[in-house]
């Protein structure tokens, strides 16, 4: 037999090796192996088995690494699809599919030495007083880790060894699982009685999970027309607080009953202890408890290894995690849930540039698992698929608690600027609203998606603007440290006190634009008695800060919470009755065709933070373009209305969901070379790509952020309705393409970020 192996060292190729007789039967697809390669031995993964090889003089595998292959053959096949579709080498795809912690050669369970008492059949042999004391401790505990015994008995390992020599104890290594949640307790919860809308949604999902199950006679379902041809994917469109999570939980319970597992994807930022707790509390206790594995970027390598293998061994059948959890080796897989499916964090911004939501759909199809995409503001792509019948649309239009959605007021900041002779940070309306809420001892959230103090440092006399020396971007002023910082590359320099232009030296240098620090300063002046906290990545220096501030806010120790999009997501605070959005059009002006969609989503989400408790909520939106559809439809909580008009715009310009995009990024330190290379690339595309009639090519053009971290970038944007075909052509083209020295080409399929 021949093993086809992908090597860790990225060479867009697979290599054939002989399986030596002593390894026969132990090598399967997914097995990690060490193989000879030139004079060295390197790590690899078996990606296929074959009877014969076209090559001669094959060398044998050196050895098998690890007892069980960390991936299932199905997930490995998925990696091949990712390489094919996202236009990258298989080795690159494998790097995401197999986390480092399980791929490394020395990845293993952590072992600890345990001591176990071996009571003798007859009388206890004669022991010293010290030995007898230790024996009594051991008799009581039966077994315990050596290290703990040493502490408890105030003794040494030698003493214990002597007990072992006399046959009274056994010392043996045992696996010590690293469980990041080991110290937390969960109160078990029961499934809630669903409301009719939830019930309808859940039934549709369960029906898809048991396609062959006949509905029991006499049940209402029996008299209904047969369901339409099975769709495998559901889009669950439900406003915040409509009870989507409860539907997920009950669908998962059903998968478990069928002997299948489930993967739940949530955006990294929503993977809070509360979220994890809801899942653990439902499934970790009760009559048939199962482990819930959690995968996210804050795990140590050891914890990640252990969580992964608990899944692989089938002990944990539910996985909850961020993006890369889509590759968890759950088998058999019954259900995949992608919560907040519109979130951009599902897209990986480095190779392989996959979108976990789309991979979920593909994986679900391949493994016959039901996929549920959930969101209050579905992406245009998913909603379009649902409208076309490719996905089944499930709607939860009302909140579980029957609360009405908050009233949203839009303040025209142009009028405000005229009336107040200058642009205020807070409009009259917002100022009054805050005052009112504070008097009633209610809480306020203010949102501005820009950190720092001001956006730029300008000299009104000579027009100088402080720029990053490595990026085509103005530096942001950070007041607490008196620094200018670049938000792209991190460059920083002390803020000057006079204009740095030698000919100018104007001391009246000014800071233009607005950041969270400046808003905080204004709030402190306007509301001196309020307790105010700022939450952005500058304010959060340590991992615990996030939890601590949210905890204080929950306990009512903070009156006004001001923050960037960090506070927009999934947080639930019953006492928040007012949400203020300081500058709603900020994200509208990004040079990206999704700017409107993103603004709509952000406004809807932030507004959803108001009025989650007894008191009705209120939202004040400050905007310079108050009549923009993204703002107006968000004001009316009208997703369908926004979708319709946005779809028209997308159709006119042949943007997604009507076509798919491949973004080609040409990058290098020398702008002339980059420009030349991208023009050459355009010519190559015109000459070599088949199916030119399906292809729209735009560019090359300088990227919106022409220079970042010292590199110039040019973009070419390709649009097609048949992406897999284009990806394959691009893969061929990029292997044949000869680029000038120090110029690189990146291919980003289905890019989400066009603005940089
Ligand atoms: P979503 O995920 O759509 O934001 P959740 O599932 O978090 O909504 O539900 C919001 C709140 O309503 C939660 O506190 C949840 O426990 C509660 N809830 C959900 N479904 C029900 C139900 N059928 N009966 C009572 N309470 C429910
Ligand atoms: Zn920079």
């Amino acid at each position: 037999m021949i093993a086809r192996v992908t090597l860790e060292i990225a060479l867009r190729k697979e290599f054939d090796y002989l399986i030596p007789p002593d390894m026969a039967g132990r090598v399967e697809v997914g097995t990690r192996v060490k193989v000879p390669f030139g004079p060295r031995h390197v790590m690899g993964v078996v990606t296929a088995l074959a009877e014969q090889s076209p090559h001669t003089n094959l060398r044998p595998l050196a050895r098998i690494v690890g007892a069980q292959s960390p991936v299932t053959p199905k997930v490995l096949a998925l990696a091949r699809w990712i390489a094919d579709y996202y236009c990258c080498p298989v080795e690159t795809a494998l790097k995401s599919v197999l986390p480092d912690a399980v791929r490394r050669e020395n990845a293993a369970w952590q072992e600890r030495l345990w001591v176990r008492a071996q009571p003798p059949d007859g009388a206890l042999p004669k022991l010293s007083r010290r030995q007898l004391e230790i024996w009594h401790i051991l008799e009581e505990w039966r077994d315990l880790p050596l290290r703990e015994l040493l502490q408890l008995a105030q003794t040494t390992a030698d003493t214990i060894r002597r007990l072992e020599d006399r046959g009274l104890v056994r010392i043996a290594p045992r696996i010590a699982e690293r469980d990041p949640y080991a110290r937390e307790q969960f109160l078990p919860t029961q499934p809630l009685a669903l409301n009719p809308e939830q019930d309808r949604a859940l039934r549709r999902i369960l029906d898809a999970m048991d396609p062959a199950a006949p509905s029991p006679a006499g049940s209402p379902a029996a008299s209904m027309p047969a369901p339409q041809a099975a769709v495998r994917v559901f889009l669950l469109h439900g406003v915040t607080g409509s009870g989507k999570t409860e539907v997920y939980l009950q669908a998962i319970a059903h998968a478990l009953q069928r002997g299948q597992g489930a993967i739940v994807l949530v955006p990294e930022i929503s993977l809070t202890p509360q979220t994890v707790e809801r899942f653990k509390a439902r499934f970790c206790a009760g009559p048939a408890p199962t482990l819930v594995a959690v995968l996210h970027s804050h795990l140590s390598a050891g914890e990640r290894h252990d969580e992964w293998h608990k899944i692989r061994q089938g002990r944990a059948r539910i996985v909850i995690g961020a993006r890369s959890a889509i590759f968890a080796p759950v088998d058999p897989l019954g259900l995949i849930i992608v919560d907040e499916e519109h979130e951009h964090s599902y897209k990986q911004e480095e190779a392989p540039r996959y979108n976990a939501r789309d991979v979920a759909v593909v994986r679900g199809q391949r493994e016959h698992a039901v996929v549920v995409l959930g969101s209050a503001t579905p992406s245009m792509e998913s909603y379009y698929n649902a409208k076309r019948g490719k996905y089944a649309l499930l709607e939860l239009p009302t909140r579980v608690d029957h609360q009405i959605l908050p009233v949203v007021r839009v303040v025209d900041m142009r009028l405000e600027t005229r009336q107040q002779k200058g642009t205020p940070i807070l409009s009259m309306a917002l100022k009054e609203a805050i005052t009112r809420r504070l008097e009633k001892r209610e809480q306020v959230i203010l949102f501005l998606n820009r950190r720092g103090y001001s956006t730029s440092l300008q000299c009104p006399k000579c027009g100088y603007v402080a720029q990053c020396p490595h990026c085509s971007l103005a530096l942001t002023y950070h007041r607490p440290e008196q620094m200018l910082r670049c938000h792209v590359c991190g460059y920083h320099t002390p803020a000057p006190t006079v204009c740095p232009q030698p000919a100018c030296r104007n001391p009246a240098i000014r800071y233009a634009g607005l950041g969270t620090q400046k808003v905080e300063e204004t709030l402190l002046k306007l509301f001196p008695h309020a307790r105010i906290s700022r939450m952005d990545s500058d304010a959060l220096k340590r991992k615990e800060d996030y939890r601590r501030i949210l905890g204080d806010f929950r306990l009512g120790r903070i009156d006004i919470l001001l923050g960037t999009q960090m506070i927009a997501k999934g947080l639930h605070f019953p006492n928040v009755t007012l949400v203020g959005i300081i500058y709603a059009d900020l994200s509208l002006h990004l040079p990206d065709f999704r700017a409107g969609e993103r603004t709509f989503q952000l406004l809807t989400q932030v507004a959803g933070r108001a009025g989650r408790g007894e008191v009705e909520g209120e939202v004040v939106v400050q905007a310079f373009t108050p009549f923009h559809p993204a703002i107006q439809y968000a004001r009316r909580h009208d997703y369908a209305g926004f979708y319709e008009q946005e779809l028209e715009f997308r159709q006119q310009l042949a943007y997604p969901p009507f076509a798919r995009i491949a973004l080609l990024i040409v990058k290098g330190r020398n702008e002339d070379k980059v420009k030349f290379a991208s023009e050459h690339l355009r010519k190559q595309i015109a000459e070599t790509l088949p199916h030119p009639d399906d292809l729209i090519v735009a560019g090359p053009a300088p990227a919106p952020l022409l220079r970042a971290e010292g590199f110039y970038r040019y973009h070419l944007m390709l649009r097609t309705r048949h992406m897999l075909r284009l990806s394959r052509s691009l893969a061929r083209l990029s292997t044949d393409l000869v680029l000038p020295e120090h110029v690189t080409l990146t291919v980003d399929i289905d890019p989400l970020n066009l603005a940089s």
Side-chain angles (χ1 to χ4, degrees), residues 468 470-471 486 488-491 709:
C468 175
H470 313 292
C471 308
C486 172
V488 168
C489 72
Y491 168 86
E709 301 179 61

Side-chain angles (χ1 to χ4, degrees), residues 64-65 97 176 316 393 489 511 705 734:
I64 295 175
V65 178
V97 168
L393 184 63
C489 72
Y511 298 98
L705 192 65
S734 55

Side-chain angles (χ1 to χ4, degrees), residues 112-179:
R112 292 171 83 187
L113 289 177
W114 280 63
V115 186
R116 186 179 179 83
Q118 309 263 79
D121 289 336
L124 206 64
K126 202 165 158 34
L127 297 174
S128 70
R129 202 168 55 93
R130 192 82 194 95
Q131 287 174 331
L132 204 61
E133 275 173 20
I134 298 169
W135 173 253
H136 287 316
I137 293 178
L138 265 169
E139 235 187 344
E140 193 178 316
W141 286 83
R142 287 278 160 69
D143 59 352
L144 76 172
L146 176 64
R147 191 152 6 124
E148 282 171 36
L149 178 64
L150 297 185
Q151 259 181 3
L152 219 59
Q154 293 290 310
T155 184
T156 62
D158 274 350
T159 313
I160 310 289
R161 291 277 178 212
R162 274 200 289 279
L163 286 173
E164 189 187 26
D165 292 342
R166 306 190 61 173
L168 285 172
V169 302
R170 247 189 48 208
I171 306 177
R174 220 186 275 179
I175 286 168
E177 282 182 4
R178 289 152 286 202
D179 181 351

